Amino acid sequence: MAALTDLTIAQLTSTLAQKEASAVEVADAHLAKLDEHRALNAFITETPDKAREMAKASDARRAKGEAGLLEGVPLAIKDLFCTEGVQTTAASNILKGFVPQYESTVTANLWKSGAVMVGKTNLDEFAMGSSNMTSHFGGVENPWKRKGDNRKLVPGGSSGGSAAAVAAYMVPGSTGTDTGGSIRQPAAFCGIVGLKPTYGRCSRWGVVAFASSLDQPGPFARTVEDTALLLQAMSGHDPKDSTSAPLPVPDFAAAARNPDIRGMKVGIPKEYRVDGTSDEIVALWAKGMEMLKAAGAEPVEVSLPHTKYALPAYYIVAPAECSSNLARYDGVRFGLRVPGKDLTELYENTRGAGFGKETRRRILIGTYVLSAGYYDAYYKKAQQIRALIARDFKQAFETCDVLLTPTAPTAAFAAGEQMDDPVSMYLNDMFTIPASMAGLPGISVPAGLDKDGLPLGLQLIGRSFDEETLLRAAAALEKAAAFGARPAGY
């Protein structure tokens, strides 16, 4: 039998159901992998005792015939989700040592389905970044390496720890959050599947906020079917979140097991052919369309004319909302407190010491665009552009069922590259941000390797709340690409 850590979520649930292994044995096998690959710095907080306790309870439920959808499956949780009794830091010094007394809705849903938590993963501070290098707890290393080059590569961001943990076989699945591409881009860099659901599909309650109108929890896994299983467990209406959609949860797993896309129309947005995209990714994009065509889909060229405004509009909306959301971290109620001679100095000292460089940059940008005299010129205008971007997608979906694009303009880059130029870093999200601005679901599927042996991903974008069609198309792409590669030594 294959090692327990090599099994997918679907295979693990079958193995556990057939009593070929216990949840405790599965948890121990994955905890051993955490020990083995701790140098990747994928985790901020490991929870081995809690994992074994949850696994033991899982075995007891299964013995009573009460197994849930993810019964006994070990998962890693991005350290942006509040977990009752377990430190939640958002990878920031300002929240170091903060232990919530409540559980986020998404993680509560996962525990109800029988999943087991092995730890909280590293991320860019407050989810702000595309490299996972802005964490107060140090950067995360991508388990992949370029051929003949031993330099450490970034796993992408902000959910880099969650992606690296899955790519290194420490866990079969994990949670992330996607504001402008923070699930899809790390998935592409790490050679795994990452799914951003429709805005409102998964509750944001108990998730540390970055940009409230954009943030959306979602899953990472090594297969499309596994992401569908995770999404099924994570989803559902939550009255505690005013933006949570009051919709039933479809059988996402059934959709992922049905890669029949005969007659499906796949849109190719002409505006996504942009300078700065590597030739290999352009070639892979064309190959991806050929693979879907061979599976019975029909390519259709579509236009999304306001795409070129998505990136600048996003970097007005997101910092504005971050400026507002992060105002609560002032040293008074929770988290870090650096004393001062008066209340104003306490605020300044705490926030100066508590926030990292990138977080401070975005707070300052956001405060500026929301200030008197600039609100209409910047924030209001960006929201108007956002409405036009959403309209573009709506019109495109009148002639196609899904869109196919690259996920990122390049493969994973070395730690330190691009880091001195924030604009260059922001361009990493140019293919993922438009769907985020429109609140649409998107999925990154590993589809090939570049000349250096690094994974490259393709992105599929679907209609609002039509993850089922998106998963069918993703399953067809996965089947045709037959990726199957894994990082050496893992």
Side-chain angles (χ1 to χ4, degrees):
M1 190 176 92
L4 291 173
T5 51
D6 287 347
L7 300 181
T8 65
I9 291 173
Q11 290 166 341
L12 269 176
T13 55
S14 174
T15 297
L16 287 161
Q18 291 168 26
K19 297 189 168 54
E20 293 172 5
S22 69
V24 171
E25 288 170 335
V26 170
D28 282 338
H30 287 85
L31 289 168
K33 277 281 186 182
L34 264 68
D35 287 338
E36 188 181 344
H37 301 308
R38 192 168 285 117
L40 294 177
N41 200 31
F43 286 83
I44 290 174
T45 303
E46 295 179 20
T47 56
D49 293 341
K50 188 173 184 68
R52 292 186 179 101
E53 178 188 319
M54 293 174 83
K56 191 175 177 183
S58 173
D59 283 331
R61 284 192 299 272
R62 191 176 291 282
K64 289 191 282 186
E66 299 171 356
L69 181 68
L70 299 174
E71 199 64 62
V73 174
L75 298 179
I77 304 299
K78 184 177 183 179
D79 200 21
L80 209 60
F81 292 82
C82 288
T83 42
E84 186 178 1
V86 178
Q87 176 180 249
T88 300
T89 69
S92 179
N93 188 38
I94 209 160
L95 277 179
K96 189 175 180 181
F98 170 61
V99 178
Q101 300 305 302
Y102 54 92
E103 191 79 32
S104 80
T105 298
V106 162
T107 51
N109 287 347
L110 290 169
W111 311 148
K112 280 178 202 166
S113 74
V116 170
M117 180 170 75
V118 300
K120 307 288 291 293
T121 53
N122 206 343
L123 62 144
D124 281 301
E125 185 181 14
F126 281 101
M128 297 177 198
S130 303
S131 64
N132 214 146
M133 292 292 119
T134 70
S135 169
H136 172 72
F137 300 92
V140 175
E141 182 182 346
N142 191 326
W144 290 83
K145 288 274 198 296
R146 291 175 181 145
K147 286 178 186 170
D149 185 343
N150 212 35
R151 280 182 297 171
K152 292 180 180 179
L153 303 180
V154 303
S158 65
S159 311
S162 290
V166 172
Y169 289 74
M170 291 191 260
V171 282
S174 61
T175 66
T177 59
D178 194 308
T179 305
S182 291
I183 290 175
R184 291 159 289 163
Q185 186 245 22
F189 278 14
C190 291
I192 61 172
V193 181
L195 171 61
K196 174 210 171 290
T198 308
Y199 182 80
R201 175 67 80 185
C202 295
S203 171
R204 294 184 298 108
W205 193 85
V207 181
V208 178
F210 163 18
S212 300
S213 73
L214 293 157
D215 298 344
Q216 185 57 202
F220 289 100
R222 291 191 292 271
T223 69
V224 172
E225 181 185 5
D226 282 2
T227 58
L229 285 165
L230 288 170
L231 179 62
Q232 205 160 311
M234 293 166 69
S235 301
H237 178 240
D238 179 10
K240 295 195 292 289
D241 175 7
S242 62
T243 62
S244 174
L247 296 173
V249 179
D251 190 342
F252 294 126
R257 294 179 189 122
N258 176 25
D260 184 358
I261 58 167
R262 286 173 293 182
M264 187 181 288
K265 292 183 177 175
V266 179
I268 307 295
K270 61 184 181 182
E271 288 82 7
Y272 279 53
R273 297 184 178 96
V274 294
D275 294 338
T277 308
S278 81
D279 292 341
E280 288 178 289
I281 284 174
V282 172
L284 183 70
W285 187 16
K287 184 183 175 186
M289 190 59 250
E290 288 304 314
M291 288 191 285
L292 293 177
K293 193 175 174 183
E298 178 189 339
V300 180
E301 184 172 84
V302 297
S303 179
L304 300 169
H306 295 92
T307 294
K308 63 184 176 182
Y309 304 117
L311 198 70
Y314 172 87
Y315 278 103
I316 290 172
V317 173
E321 294 183 9
C322 123
S323 166
S324 176
N325 278 323
L326 269 61
R328 73 190 72 180
Y329 304 110
D330 53 15
V332 174
R333 287 162 296 176
F334 49 78
L336 180 73
R337 176 182 293 190
V338 181
K341 66 177 185 290
D342 54 28
L343 193 59
T344 299
E345 192 173 275
L346 179 144
Y347 289 160
E348 291 171 349
N349 291 349
T350 299
R351 290 167 69 80
F355 292 133
K357 185 178 177 182
E358 180 60 29
T359 303
R360 292 199 301 270
R361 178 187 289 121
R362 297 200 195 192
I363 290 171
L364 289 168
I365 292 169
T367 304
Y368 177 79
V369 300
L370 289 176
S371 59
Y374 294 101
Y375 180 90
D376 287 351
Y378 290 103
Y379 187 72
K380 188 177 177 182
K381 187 69 71 180
Q383 292 288 28
Q384 290 169 337
I385 289 169
R386 186 177 186 177
L388 294 174
I389 291 166
R391 189 182 70 182
D392 287 350
F393 278 109
K394 190 175 181 182
Q395 290 172 347
F397 283 122
E398 289 172 5
T399 58
C400 66
D401 300 298
V402 294
L403 300 172
L404 177 71
T405 78
T407 306
T410 65
F413 50 89
E417 287 178 2
Q418 304 185 29
M419 297 296 294
D420 296 332
D421 181 1
V423 174
S424 176
M425 289 296 296
Y426 297 167
L427 288 171
N428 277 291
D429 301 326
M430 63 182 172
F431 294 130
T432 53
I433 276 174
S436 293
M437 292 291 275
L440 299 175
I443 188 168
S444 180
V445 178
L449 299 172
D450 72 0
K451 65 181 186 302
D452 294 319
L454 296 181
L456 301 173
L458 289 175
Q459 175 183 219
L460 287 157
I461 301 168
R463 293 187 182 95
S464 184
F465 294 106
D466 189 14
E467 285 90 352
E468 289 170 283
T469 300
L470 182 69
L471 286 162
R472 275 177 52 218
L477 180 61
E478 176 183 59
K479 184 179 177 182
F483 181 69
R486 62 191 289 174
Y490 293 90

